[in-house]
């Protein structure tokens, strides 16, 4: 189950959720699988790294990498679920609109 909620500056964040400054997101956010050339911002200076290299360093098994969900915008990856959150679109003192993304496994 994937839920995207636009909330004010007050929010309740759980382990299965990440919050982003909605006004810093380029275009429409989307959920997708990885594509060749995906990059993620690794520090506040804006340095980027190939997502493939991030998977390798974090020891994500090769057969599982295509199953990792990505929260993206028009600029790139915001969150590789369970792996790493981008340093882009971080919440700060000037944040007015928060996008909370919650991903939970449904139990049947």
């Amino acid at each position: 189950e994937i839920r995207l909620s636009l909330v004010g500056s007050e929010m309740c964040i759980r382990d299965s959720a990440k919050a982003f400054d909605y006004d810093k997101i380029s275009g429409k956010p989307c959920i997708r699988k990885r594509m060749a050339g995906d990059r993620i911002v690794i520090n506040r200076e804006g340095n980027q790294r190939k997502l493939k290299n991030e998977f390798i360093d974090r020891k994500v098994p090769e057969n599982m990498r295509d199953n990792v969900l990505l929260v993206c915008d028009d600029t790139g990856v915001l969150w590789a679920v369970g792996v790493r959150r981008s340093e882009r679109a971080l919440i700060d003192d000037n944040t007015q609109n928060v996008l909370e993304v919650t991903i939970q496994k449904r139990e049947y």
Side-chain angles (χ1 to χ4, degrees), residues 1 4-6 9-10 14-16 24-25 29 36 38-39 51 66 77-78 81 83 91 104 107:
E1 178 178 357
L4 286 88
S5 307
L6 187 57
S9 57
E10 293 113 29
R14 297 163 294 285
D15 291 339
S16 60
K24 295 178 184 175
I25 293 175
D38 274 338
R39 301 181 77 78
L51 189 60
D66 286 333
V77 176
L78 293 168
V81 178
V83 180
I91 305 283
Q104 294 178 320
E107 300 296 330

Side-chain angles (χ1 to χ4, degrees), residues 69-106:
L69 292 177
L70 304 178
V71 177
C72 303
D73 67 1
D74 292 347
T75 306
V77 176
L78 293 168
W79 180 25
V81 178
V83 180
R84 183 173 191 162
R85 185 211 192 286
S86 173
E87 293 296 313
R88 207 166 45 79
L90 294 174
I91 305 283
D92 60 24
D93 292 338
N94 299 318
T95 299
Q96 294 182 4
N97 298 302
V98 175
L99 176 67
E100 182 182 79
V101 181
T102 306
I103 299 185
Q104 294 178 320
K105 183 177 179 182
R106 275 196 173 168

Side-chain angles (χ1 to χ4, degrees), residues 35-51:
M35 296 187 317
D38 274 338
R39 301 181 77 78
I40 190 165
V41 176
I42 59 168
N43 59 31
R44 292 181 189 250
E45 287 76 40
N47 295 325
Q48 296 183 7
R49 184 163 201 228
K50 287 184 179 179
L51 189 60

